[in-house]
Amino acid sequence: MPQRRRQSADTSASSASSAPPEFAAANTLHSAAIRLLRAIRVEDRASGLSGPRLSALSVIVFGGPLPMAALAAAEQVQPPTITRLVRELERDGLVERVRDADDRRVLRVRATARGRQVMEEGRRRRVARLAAGLKALPPADRKLLARAAELIERLARPEPPAPPGTPP
């Protein structure tokens, strides 16, 4: 079977050399974010959950109880897929389905105490791994990354940031 050659971030960045500087920065940020996620995601193996199950549990734990359709949308999967994932998480005692207090027709999925514990332990492992890497950097770089993290958080909001000079 022929091997596919992966295009490096440097190659894709150079092919966009005529693009505006924000495109080059976005390209570099995209590649770095993926590599960073892969580097700390190794800590997720300790949870014993598959990537899709861990992702769905994360949305439930950190997003609060939500209807199945909203969970499917957040995970960008079809309803039958989210039904299967929730069934598996229920079987493991990590989530439960509950009736909505305001509309009894609506079923919400919420994390159990065990589900929250699994996610919190996983988050601690990932953050500890990342903190160890940050500790090896000079203080000025750590300060710069802290500021960059604030900006990345702003970019990650659902609404695009306002252009500079636009009143809030």
Side-chain angles (χ1 to χ4, degrees), residues 151 154-164 166:
L151 294 172
R154 190 182 325 161
L155 284 174
R157 290 185 189 139
E159 298 172 14
T166 304

Side-chain angles (χ1 to χ4, degrees), residues 8-139:
S8 73
D10 294 338
T11 304
S12 60
S14 65
S15 67
S17 60
S18 61
E22 60 272 9
F23 183 87
N27 185 54
T28 301
L29 180 59
H30 178 268
S31 296
I34 290 171
R35 285 193 306 275
L36 180 61
L37 180 59
R38 285 182 184 143
I40 63 173
R41 195 170 52 195
V42 300
E43 297 299 329
D44 291 342
R45 288 187 214 137
S47 74
L49 297 175
S50 68
R53 289 171 65 202
L54 202 55
S55 180
L57 181 59
S58 176
V59 170
I60 297 163
V61 168
F62 298 114
L66 64 166
M68 296 281 279
L71 180 58
E75 289 296 289
Q76 299 176 351
V77 298
Q78 296 298 314
T81 301
I82 210 65
T83 299
R84 179 182 50 79
L85 287 170
V86 167
R87 189 178 320 116
E88 292 168 359
L89 292 169
E90 275 183 308
R91 182 193 64 219
D92 292 341
L94 302 172
V95 301
E96 59 189 358
R97 297 180 214 208
V98 294
R99 294 271 172 210
D100 184 278
D102 297 328
D103 185 347
R104 303 294 294 162
R105 296 170 296 174
V106 176
L107 271 178
R108 292 185 176 271
V109 183
R110 74 174 172 204
T112 62
R114 183 164 178 257
R116 283 189 300 281
Q117 179 184 5
V118 166
M119 282 311 307
E120 289 165 3
E121 289 171 357
R123 184 180 185 118
R124 275 193 293 277
R125 285 190 301 272
R126 288 186 302 277
V127 169
R129 184 178 192 90
L130 188 54
L134 290 172
K135 188 175 181 179
L137 297 175

